[in-house]
Amino acid sequence: APPPARAPAPAAMVAAARPAAVTLRSGVVECLHHGVGAAVRLPAGATDDVAGEVVASLGSASLVVLPRSALKLLHAVAFLEAGLDVEDELLAVTCASHSGEPGHLDVVRRLLAHAGLTEDDLRGTPDLPIDAEAAHAWRTAGHGPTSLTQNCSGNHAGMLAASVAAGWPTEGYTGAGHPVQQAIATATARLAGSVSPEVAVDGCGAPAFGTTVAGLARAYAAIASGAPGSPEARVRDAVLAHPWLVGGTGRRNTLLMGALPGVAVKDGADGVIAAGWTDADGAGVGVAVKVLDGADRGRGVLLAEGMRRAGLDVPTTVPGVTDPVLGHGRPVGAVVALPWG
């Protein structure tokens, strides 16, 4: 078994990170963002014990982080391994941090119905939709925060549906000791090469497992290059076929997958984002980055820089790469990635 990946102390995080990007406002450096990142190439047909080659890094690729919702593609692999068998739309929404738009809620309800469950079985932290229009419509209709409209409801529905498929109890499914969470930890250790023994609680109430930045990149390389019919390939194909379900209107995941055919992308709260694709030789390539202070700004440019370092041409004009720097409502600057190394 791989050694456990242990969470770092603050001093170790500072030592591991590097200046990663700057925010320029009217030519003035307004912000300096520190981060870590890794690009991993996994040969075609590689077995689980092959770590892959770190082809580029920003700071220390061995830093342990909480990938948060960037782990949801790994969750979906665990759901399939537990016996869940659903169409691509339903599988894609298990990977989502969706915006709570009506189409998202409809698919979550369908997944629950597939398992013989309803939204009353969800135990995610109640919240309003992320999408402003959807939130307004929901409140206008007389509703408040619910577990259904919380952005992780598709993922929670996946936990429940996988539990039903495996014959596990649905009660207590958010507990770290529940079989579905143990299945997620096992899949994370297999795909990423290690999982942290320290388990945090995510914003939605489910366990948040940790792994290294290189491990997260390795996992995305494995999912991108999964053999036809494998759980990894099924998850890859589902998110690529339904990028809107993974995020929503105007969301970074959805924009990037729409603009970069064949590239699976998923972000996580507090500055994490990862992507995976196959190269011309059929090898899986994964890139993962973490903005050290958890900022959302800069994730797109850092991911794009890592992808370029791994051999994929990503123009700066790709939607979802850049973050607006506005002054009086018009562009006055940009977030610029610094060299990796």
Side-chain angles (χ1 to χ4, degrees), residues 42-50 218 221-222 225-228 278 281-284:
L42 194 63
T47 55
D48 290 342
D49 59 348
V50 176
R218 194 264 180 210
S225 60
T278 54
D281 297 325

Side-chain angles (χ1 to χ4, degrees), residues 33-60:
H33 307 280
H34 286 71
V36 290
V40 172
R41 185 177 187 274
L42 194 63
T47 55
D48 290 342
D49 59 348
V50 176
E53 177 190 4
V54 177
V55 296
S57 62
L58 172 68
S60 174

Side-chain angles (χ1 to χ4, degrees), residues 205-311:
F209 298 102
T211 190
T212 65
V213 178
L216 183 60
R218 194 264 180 210
Y220 272 70
I223 289 170
S225 60
S230 67
E232 292 85 352
R234 290 191 59 193
V235 171
R236 174 199 67 215
D237 293 345
V239 299
L240 292 178
H242 301 284
W244 181 81
L245 285 174
V246 179
T249 305
R251 298 284 298 284
R252 195 189 301 273
N253 298 321
T254 300
L255 293 173
L256 287 170
M257 285 194 280
L260 300 171
V263 181
V265 182
K266 184 68 185 75
D267 59 6
D270 291 323
V272 179
I273 192 166
W277 68 96
T278 54
D279 66 14
D281 297 325
V285 185
V287 174
V289 298
K290 159 78 175 178
V291 182
L292 196 63
D293 65 0
D296 177 62
R297 175 183 276 181
R299 285 193 290 184
V301 295
L302 288 181
L303 180 68
E305 181 64 18
M307 294 166 83
R308 294 186 195 105
R309 296 277 174 166

Side-chain angles (χ1 to χ4, degrees), residues 26 32 94 97 101 130 143 161 165 172 174 183 193 199 205 216 257 264 276 284 303 312 319:
S26 304
L32 172 63
T94 72
S97 300
E101 297 168 72
I130 290 175
H143 305 302
T174 60
V199 181
L216 183 60
M257 285 194 280
L303 180 68
L312 188 68

Side-chain angles (χ1 to χ4, degrees), residues 108-284:
V108 175
R109 290 188 182 105
R110 283 170 50 201
L111 176 57
L112 289 166
H114 170 87
L117 303 170
T118 72
E119 59 194 82
D120 292 336
D121 293 291
L122 294 169
R123 294 293 180 266
T125 308
D127 204 352
L128 292 170
I130 290 175
D131 181 80
E133 290 186 11
H136 177 73
W138 186 256
R139 299 208 72 161
T140 300
H143 305 302
T146 69
S147 294
L148 176 67
T149 47
Q150 203 271 347
N151 73 94
C152 297
S153 65
N155 184 247
H156 279 242
M159 295 174 186
L160 285 164
S163 295
V164 170
W168 301 325
T170 57
E171 286 298 319
Y173 76 89
T174 60
H178 189 278
V180 76
Q181 303 301 340
Q182 291 300 299
I184 288 169
T186 298
T188 300
R190 179 176 67 81
L191 292 166
S194 63
V195 65
S196 175
E198 298 94 355
V199 181
V201 179
D202 215 325
C204 64
F209 298 102
T211 190
T212 65
V213 178
L216 183 60
R218 194 264 180 210
Y220 272 70
I223 289 170
S225 60
S230 67
E232 292 85 352
R234 290 191 59 193
V235 171
R236 174 199 67 215
D237 293 345
V239 299
L240 292 178
H242 301 284
W244 181 81
L245 285 174
V246 179
T249 305
R251 298 284 298 284
R252 195 189 301 273
N253 298 321
T254 300
L255 293 173
L256 287 170
M257 285 194 280
L260 300 171
V263 181
V265 182
K266 184 68 185 75
D267 59 6
D270 291 323
V272 179
I273 192 166
W277 68 96
T278 54
D279 66 14
D281 297 325

